């Protein structure tokens, strides 16, 4: 809670008007956090415990300043964890938790 509160203060100090929710891509991520992953919204609409971390006790989610998709390079990625082996691997940065969950469920 302290880290996310400090992050929000930093957003405000630097004039960040829009943020994006980032959930961990692994099997331990809860459905609520999975729902919010990848969604972006005005900083002033962030509500801790609802759409801003921590959403629940032991929440591992965070937020980042939102950038328009055309600002990402083709090489941008995020990390996901394979459930059976625990190995980390790269997925496209634009992939949300729900999209990731759909691909690992197949």
């Amino acid at each position: 809670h302290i880290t996310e509160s400090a992050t929000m203060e930093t957003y405000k100090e630097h004039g960040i008007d829009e943020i994006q929710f980032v959930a961990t891509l692994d099997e331990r991520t809860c459905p609520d956090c999975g729902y919010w992953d990848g969604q972006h919204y005005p900083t002033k609409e962030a509500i801790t415990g609802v759409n801003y971390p921590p959403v629940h006790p032991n929440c591992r989610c965070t937020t980042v300043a939102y950038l328009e998709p055309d600002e990402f390079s083709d090489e941008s990625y995020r990390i996901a964890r394979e459930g059976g082996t625990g190995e980390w691997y790269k997925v496209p940065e634009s992939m949300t938790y729900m999209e990731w969950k759909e691909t690992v469920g197949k």
Side-chain angles (χ1 to χ4, degrees):
H1 179 70
I2 293 169
T3 300
E4 294 306 325
S5 295
T7 300
M8 181 56 73
E9 288 304 312
T10 301
Y11 292 149
K12 291 176 183 177
E13 287 175 17
H14 293 281
I16 303 298
D17 296 326
E18 194 162 357
I19 56 176
Q20 181 171 331
F21 194 98
V22 181
T24 303
L25 298 182
D26 69 12
E27 296 294 328
R28 292 179 21 210
T29 298
C30 77
D32 291 337
C33 293
Y35 168 80
W36 284 108
D37 184 54
Q39 294 195 45
H40 56 95
Y41 44 89
T43 307
K44 64 184 177 187
E45 292 179 11
I47 302 169
T48 300
V50 177
N51 64 354
Y52 191 79
V55 176
H56 52 78
N58 300 315
C59 185
R60 300 172 298 142
C61 298
T62 191
T63 58
V64 294
Y66 177 72
L67 302 173
E68 290 295 327
D70 62 341
E71 295 180 42
F72 297 122
S73 79
D74 291 338
E75 298 177 21
S76 294
Y77 63 89
R78 62 191 288 194
I79 301 295
R81 189 180 347 206
E82 213 289 333
T85 65
E87 297 284 323
W88 295 98
Y89 61 96
K90 298 177 184 179
V91 298
E93 184 170 23
S94 62
M95 181 179 277
T96 65
Y97 177 82
M98 297 302 226
E99 292 167 335
W100 174 82
K101 187 76 170 167
E102 192 173 295
T103 63
V104 297
K106 292 182 179 180

